[in-house]
Amino acid sequence: MELEQFNNHVEALAAKILTNTASEEELKRFNDWYADFDDSSVELVSNESREELKNRLLGRIEAEISSLQPKRKSRWLSHKVAAVISLLIVFGGILYFVQPNFQDHGDVSIDMVYESKSTEAGQKRVIKLPDGSSVKLNAGSTLKYPKSFSRSNRRVELVGEAFFNISRDTLNPFVIDLNGGQVKVLGTSFNIRSYAAEPDVAVAVKTGEVIVTNSFSNSSVTLMPVELASYVPNTEKITKEKIQNTDVVFGWREGNLVFNEAGLPAILKSLSSWYGVTFEVEGSVNGSKKLNANFDNISLEEVLTCLSHNYEFKYEINEKQVTIKYQETK
């Protein structure tokens, strides 16, 4: 937004306030806009504190507004409007030059302070966001988010897998930045899998509506409940499909480890992340044999016992190291 456009917005808002035509939402936006003002980089020419500067400017604006009588002549009103506008433009000009990255949403962004929460292999954790939304991180994942959201910026970054339950706000969408794309929602629950070591990104919707964008091709798809979108970063294609087995996608939240036509290498990779262990395989793996299974909150040893019967191997667990031993068939 250019400075002239920003000033025009401020003028329109000031005129509405002075003529008692501003809506509750516009009054709230003005109050929030002032409350968000951070003048930490303004150089003062006097001994006046920054808080005093803010209070002085706001006091002058409020004095102009409170002195307005409803049935004044229009010429007198225009002078009053001009006076308040001039103050708001000065106030807004400070914001414009001090905060050059404000968004074109009719308000000004503030310098965000971010937090980063991560999980190690074998860990899961629930994170409460400033707007009341919740995020459950799967193992080996990281979520970066602002300590406080602005009115027009509910934006986070995810690496790994997480299930989001987003508080609905029709005026301010929630955006998740991913590897090679983003997800935009108003209020819904959905799962994202976006590990750096995996070739594709997958987004699955449980409730509500989600827009998934592939940044490389700038193409988007809209997902409804029980739909999944996937893409490979830095490629143009993005696909959408119905979820055939919801437990495969969402089951991990309840501690269910679900496999659908999975080979042993893929299974061991999941177990490594799930239980926080590493595997060493001795002998030849039967890569063609696939497994369908649902392990519901059971121990690693119980899982390995089940797998050993299906894939005919022996195993040893030594703390965080698991050795899989195949016997050569004659």
Side-chain angles (χ1 to χ4, degrees):
M1 181 190 291
E2 299 295 335
L3 179 58
E4 181 180 354
Q5 292 176 298
F6 177 75
N7 289 345
N8 289 340
H9 170 76
V10 172
E11 291 178 15
L13 182 57
K16 284 187 175 183
I17 292 173
L18 287 172
T19 55
N20 295 320
T21 59
S23 66
E24 290 186 8
E25 175 64 24
E26 287 169 326
L27 289 172
K28 181 179 183 300
R29 283 174 57 191
F30 174 78
N31 290 331
D32 290 344
W33 170 60
Y34 175 76
D36 276 350
F37 176 42
D38 180 3
D39 57 355
S40 57
S41 58
V42 175
E43 293 295 329
L44 303 178
V45 295
S46 69
N47 293 326
E48 183 179 44
S49 71
R50 293 178 174 85
E51 188 64 30
E52 288 172 340
L53 169 65
K54 290 161 67 173
N55 290 336
R56 176 168 57 83
L57 289 174
L58 185 63
R60 291 176 63 188
I61 294 170
E62 289 177 339
E64 294 292 347
I65 294 173
S66 62
S67 65
L68 176 63
Q69 299 299 322
K71 294 185 178 180
R72 298 279 185 164
K73 293 181 180 179
S74 60
R75 180 177 297 179
W76 183 92
L77 178 60
S78 66
H79 288 309
K80 282 292 184 183
V81 172
V84 175
I85 288 171
S86 66
L87 289 173
L88 286 173
I89 289 175
V90 171
F91 194 44
I94 292 173
L95 292 173
Y96 182 86
F97 290 108
V98 174
Q99 308 288 348
N101 9 317
F102 72 93
Q103 304 294 316
D104 189 5
H105 296 297
D107 58 9
V108 181
S109 70
I110 59 175
D111 290 332
M112 292 291 185
V113 177
Y114 285 86
E115 288 195 359
S116 183
K117 303 291 186 183
S118 299
T119 52
E120 302 295 334
Q123 293 182 332
K124 298 175 182 62
R125 70 186 302 178
V126 175
I127 301 168
K128 287 291 186 181
L129 297 179
D131 65 341
S133 301
S134 65
V135 182
K136 185 167 187 176
L137 282 185
N138 204 349
S141 303
T142 299
L143 183 73
K144 182 180 178 182
Y145 59 95
K147 290 188 70 173
S148 61
F149 290 142
S150 70
R151 296 174 310 287
S152 60
N153 185 359
R154 295 196 300 165
R155 197 179 196 104
V156 302
E157 297 177 18
L158 173 69
V159 176
E161 184 169 26
F163 184 85
F164 292 80
N165 202 328
I166 301 304
S167 298
R168 186 168 183 80
D169 186 342
T170 56
L171 298 177
N172 303 311
F174 191 101
V175 177
I176 304 101
D177 289 320
L178 308 171
N179 181 15
Q182 68 171 215
V183 174
K184 185 176 182 180
V185 301
L186 295 178
T188 181
S189 60
F190 54 96
N191 195 81
I192 297 176
R193 189 176 179 94
S194 179
Y195 284 102
E198 295 185 357
D200 59 349
V201 174
V203 181
V205 175
K206 188 172 180 64
T207 63
E209 182 178 329
V210 163
I211 300 173
V212 182
T213 301
N214 180 340
S215 298
F216 185 82
S217 61
N218 201 31
S219 57
S220 299
V221 296
T222 299
L223 300 180
M224 304 303 287
V226 201
E227 289 185 337
L228 179 146
S230 61
Y231 65 88
V232 176
N234 300 319
T235 63
E236 294 187 0
K237 191 175 181 180
I238 182 170
T239 61
K240 182 171 78 168
E241 60 186 283
K242 278 285 186 183
I243 300 172
Q244 300 303 317
N245 186 341
T246 57
D247 287 338
V248 173
V249 179
F250 303 119
W252 69 268
R253 298 181 305 126
E254 308 300 331
N256 297 332
L257 187 57
V258 184
F259 298 106
N260 183 31
E261 291 296 307
L264 187 62
I267 292 172
L268 295 184
K269 183 178 179 181
S270 294
L271 294 180
S272 177
S273 175
W274 191 270
Y275 293 101
V277 297
T278 58
F279 286 91
E280 180 182 354
V281 179
E282 298 179 358
S284 300
V285 177
N286 184 354
S288 63
K289 191 172 185 178
K290 305 298 181 181
L291 181 72
N292 295 313
N294 187 335
F295 299 112
D296 185 2
N297 289 287
I298 63 176
S299 68
L300 173 62
E301 187 169 2
E302 290 174 302
V303 174
L304 290 174
T305 298
C306 177
L307 292 175
S308 68
H309 296 316
N310 283 272
Y311 286 95
E312 300 178 345
F313 63 73
K314 293 182 178 181
Y315 66 89
E316 292 179 0
I317 302 175
N318 184 11
E319 295 183 349
K320 295 294 184 181
Q321 176 73 38
V322 180
T323 302
I324 303 292
K325 296 181 179 182
Y326 277 93
Q327 291 184 338
E328 296 293 339
T329 58
K330 297 181 180 181

